[in-house]
Amino acid sequence: MSVEDDKKELSEFQKSLKYKIVKVGDIVEEVAWISTEPDDLLTGTVIAVEKAIYSKVQWFSFSDDQITIRWFKTGQVEKLPSCYIKIISNIPND
C-alpha cells in the first residue's frame, strides 16, 4: 500500500468516527471493527467516563472521552474511546 493510499484510508476511517455523549449507566455495544468476534459483539454497562482524554490522537478530529465498560458476558472491565462503541440504551438527563 502506498503512503497516499494509506492517507486516503485513514481519512475515510476518520470520517466514520463520531463523538458520542456517554454517561455512567448507559448500555453499550462494541463496534464490529474493534471486536475479536464480529459475529458475537460484547454488550456492557458504562461504569466511568473521563472527559477529553483522547485529544492528540492522529485519527480523531475531535477530543474524545475515555469510557470504562464492564462487559456482561465476560465480566471484564475495559477502557475505550467513546467513539468505539454504539449506545444501546442511555440514561436520561437529570
Side-chain angles (χ1 to χ4, degrees):
M1 176 180 286
S2 73
V3 171
E4 288 305 312
D5 288 342
D6 191 43
K7 285 182 180 177
K8 183 179 178 187
E9 194 171 304
L10 179 59
S11 177
E12 291 303 312
F13 174 69
Q14 286 173 315
K15 289 177 192 172
S16 72
L17 297 175
K18 303 274 189 271
Y19 178 74
K20 297 176 182 80
I21 298 173
V22 182
K23 299 179 291 303
V24 172
D26 286 353
I27 306 299
V28 298
E29 181 178 73
E30 66 183 338
V31 292
W33 48 266
I34 68 159
S35 177
T36 57
E37 296 182 39
D39 294 330
D40 189 21
L41 299 175
L42 293 175
T43 302
T45 187
V46 176
I47 59 175
V49 177
E50 296 174 74
K51 296 289 187 186
I53 294 295
Y54 301 101
S55 60
K56 294 183 177 145
V57 179
Q58 85 179 63
W59 57 87
F60 292 177
S61 58
F62 50 88
S63 290
D64 203 8
D65 304 335
Q66 177 173 277
I67 59 172
T68 305
I69 305 161
R70 181 178 308 276
W71 299 116
F72 296 139
K73 183 177 181 179
T74 65
Q76 291 180 312
V77 173
E78 183 174 17
K79 293 184 179 198
L80 294 171
S82 68
C83 64
Y84 283 17
I85 55 88
K86 179 173 129 183
I87 298 173
I88 303 298
S89 176
N90 56 356
I91 299 296
N93 292 329
D94 293 333

